[in-house]
Amino acid sequence: MYESANAEQPSVRLGVLLADPGLGLTQVAGPAAGDRPVSTVGTTEIEDPTPYLVGGELLLTAGVRLPDDADGVDTYVRRVVAAGVAALGFGVAPVHPEVPSELVRACDRHGLPLLRLPPATPFVAVGQAAYAAIAEARNRELREISRAQSALASAAARPDALRAVLGQLATHTGAWSVLYDAQGTELFSAGPRPAPPDAPQLLRDLAVRTLRRDGGPTAAAAHEPDQGIHLAVHTLPGTDRTTATLTLGQAATTPPTVAHRRVTSMATVLLALLTSPRHALSTDTHSVGALVRLMLGAKPAEVAPALVSAGGARGGHWTVVHGRHLPTRSASAPPTDGDPAQLAALGALLGTPYVYMDGPCLKALIPGAPDVRPSVPAQAADLGWVLGYSAPASAHDLPHADTQAERALQRAIAAEAPAVVHTADALTLSALVSPADARELARTRFAPLERAGAPGAAVLLDTLRTWLTLHGSWDRTAAALQVHRNTVRHRLARVADLLDVDLQDPGVRMELWFALQWLPGESADS
């Protein structure tokens, strides 16, 4: 049975090209192959093209160097079949007035579909038609994935989230979907059960075997030709992220498509989240659903109402916190990613369950009112954490608040303070300048950086901002950006050259600092 060299690669069915009236293709040899996938179209006139093939091609030739004898033609066909070619297209005229009979017999013998291209069909036209069809199929696939993603996110926010997610998975993949425990007991299922009576037992056996394998979370698949079904299982990670405790099984009468695999992958992540102890002990399904929607690409403003209705931010406002663990300030052990005890301690100190820790860095969202200044816990410094707080912001302004928190953290590190809270003070030079004029001036001032090339204007601006925040310290800037100090020097030399300034001049530094605050997307009080 023919299989594409890469089942995940975008392709078009051969039947689509055969049905295109503008091409006039006809199949003259080989098995019926309307469903055979073609991933690319190639043209060759060499005797042995196999070193240049990857599989899945519709290989086009006019037979310029086709062997004259039957044995040579047979060898040619046998080679391209072994290379995984999907089909062979033969263009008649001007070399051959018709498809050679030896080629027809060889393709029949080796099971290779052979297409006849009429003289009026250029090889390029076949390629254009194939790539257009592949693009159209890819767009359909992306729309299908997008619809499934939205449906899964909505299902995960429901009180009966597990059943709802399984139901949407079955709907969008056409597969019977079932969740097993470690003993193979069926916990939940959705979709029509497969007709073969042995199918549920076969799927259960595959799930148990997969779950008992050594190692972490994994997946397995099987095809049962006698039963006419395709089986697949995916283990869900346990609390230690390595030991699998639950298994998602699927049974379908057709093999899964690329879109089906993507949808299943998303569902597996959601099911792992929904079956975690943290979720099982929580009745806050609205918050969990909102976080799931964020993970699947929803904008913060779209999910904020769910967090608010679940007892989140009063008035819809949030304070963003950035943190850095500095061992030199504490004898405490360095943080471990995802340690429940550390997350619980930080959440209790900050007064929020919305805490994310990534090694020595943390981010948090604290619910609050728009006119309430956040309080800084003194115990955070005792644990070795330096914190930067944004001003309270609505969901729409969270990206800007995130920037404020990062700048505040940089100032705290530079000042060797336990924390810095962003404040907006009207008694600044910014209050004397028209915001529109200031933004235009800043845009013009830094416009030359757009010609910088790699690593890009954004990286150069971030390096300049960090360096100025840290009072011109090369080593501390390198540490903050996690690059070598020579990289910092090279970037700032590039900035000085493009802007035609002397960065050692305090007046220039002051001018650039103000301009940075006025850049579009920034705030003069950042």
Side-chain angles (χ1 to χ4, degrees), residues 131-512:
Y131 299 136
I134 289 173
E136 182 181 354
R138 179 60 173 165
N139 288 334
R140 286 197 303 270
E141 174 187 292
L142 291 176
R143 288 193 295 270
E144 180 182 348
I145 292 173
S146 178
R147 287 192 296 268
Q149 174 177 298
S150 178
L152 286 170
S154 299
R158 290 178 48 173
D160 58 340
L162 283 176
R163 294 183 184 275
V165 168
L166 282 174
Q168 290 298 330
L169 175 62
T171 298
H172 288 275
T173 61
W176 180 55
S177 303
V178 55
L179 193 64
Y180 295 108
D181 67 8
Q183 288 70 44
T185 303
E186 181 181 316
L187 302 178
F188 302 100
S189 65
R193 288 179 176 266
D198 294 339
Q201 185 62 40
L202 291 172
L203 182 60
R204 178 190 179 279
D205 293 344
L206 180 61
V208 172
R209 289 198 306 271
T210 304
L211 197 60
R212 291 176 179 172
R213 290 176 183 171
D214 294 334
T218 185
H223 178 208
E224 300 290 341
D226 296 339
Q227 301 286 342
I229 56 171
H230 296 263
L231 308 177
V233 296
H234 306 266
T235 57
L236 309 185
T239 55
D240 60 359
R241 299 183 183 275
T242 57
T243 303
T245 57
L246 297 174
T247 305
L248 168 66
Q250 293 175 291
T253 56
T254 58
T257 65
V258 174
H260 292 164
R261 292 191 182 97
R262 300 282 174 83
V263 173
T264 300
S265 178
M266 288 186 287
T268 302
V269 172
L270 294 181
L271 291 170
L273 172 64
L274 293 169
T275 55
S276 68
R278 177 174 294 186
H279 178 269
L281 295 174
S282 173
T283 58
D284 186 3
T285 56
H286 292 285
S287 295
V288 172
L291 294 177
V292 168
R293 291 172 62 191
L294 280 173
M295 183 182 72
L296 293 179
K299 296 180 180 178
E302 296 174 355
V303 302
L307 294 176
V308 173
S309 66
R314 298 179 298 277
H317 279 67
W318 302 84
T319 296
V320 181
V321 182
H322 282 210
R324 182 79 58 81
H325 188 269
L326 301 180
T328 56
R329 299 191 180 188
S330 171
S332 62
T336 301
D337 292 356
D339 183 345
Q342 295 191 45
L343 286 174
L346 288 170
L349 287 176
L350 297 173
T352 177
Y354 306 113
V355 180
Y356 168 73
M357 188 166 59
D358 182 12
C361 302
L362 74 83
K363 290 185 179 182
L365 281 175
I366 302 178
D371 54 351
V372 175
R373 179 184 173 91
S375 59
V376 179
Q379 300 93 324
D382 297 335
L383 295 176
W385 289 97
V386 181
L387 304 176
Y389 287 74
S390 75
S394 66
H396 291 280
D397 293 329
L398 279 177
H400 181 55
D402 187 61
T403 301
Q404 288 181 349
E406 179 59 28
R407 305 286 166 72
L409 174 61
Q410 292 177 356
R411 291 199 292 271
I413 294 174
E416 298 185 349
V420 166
V421 179
H422 172 85
T423 57
D425 188 353
L427 299 178
T428 65
L429 290 177
S430 302
L432 303 177
V433 182
S434 164
D437 292 342
R439 283 193 294 269
E440 183 59 31
L441 176 64
R443 186 187 292 109
T444 303
R445 188 71 186 87
F446 292 113
L449 296 186
E450 297 297 334
R451 304 191 303 267
V459 173
L460 294 180
L461 283 172
D462 188 48
T463 303
L464 175 63
R465 183 185 293 109
T466 305
W467 183 70
L468 292 174
T469 298
L470 298 175
H471 310 296
S473 170
W474 306 102
D475 292 331
R476 291 161 69 188
T477 300
L481 296 176
Q482 297 182 333
V483 298
H484 195 276
R485 69 194 309 269
N486 288 341
T487 301
V488 175
R489 288 183 178 274
H490 175 75
R491 290 178 183 176
L492 291 176
R494 185 66 176 145
V495 170
D497 180 58
L498 289 169
L499 299 183
D500 193 23
V501 296
D502 179 7
L503 292 180
Q504 301 307 315
D505 185 333
V508 169
R509 294 191 190 189
M510 180 183 68
E511 172 201 340
L512 295 178

Side-chain angles (χ1 to χ4, degrees), residues 81-171:
V81 168
V85 165
L88 186 64
F90 195 91
V92 297
V95 180
H96 295 270
E98 194 49 69
V99 181
S101 58
E102 294 87 352
L103 184 60
V104 173
R105 287 192 293 270
C107 288
D108 279 332
R109 186 161 48 249
H110 294 287
L112 178 66
L114 175 62
L115 311 185
R116 178 186 184 276
L117 278 69
T121 300
F123 286 5
V124 173
V126 179
Q128 289 176 336
Y131 299 136
I134 289 173
E136 182 181 354
R138 179 60 173 165
N139 288 334
R140 286 197 303 270
E141 174 187 292
L142 291 176
R143 288 193 295 270
E144 180 182 348
I145 292 173
S146 178
R147 287 192 296 268
Q149 174 177 298
S150 178
L152 286 170
S154 299
R158 290 178 48 173
D160 58 340
L162 283 176
R163 294 183 184 275
V165 168
L166 282 174
Q168 290 298 330
L169 175 62
T171 298

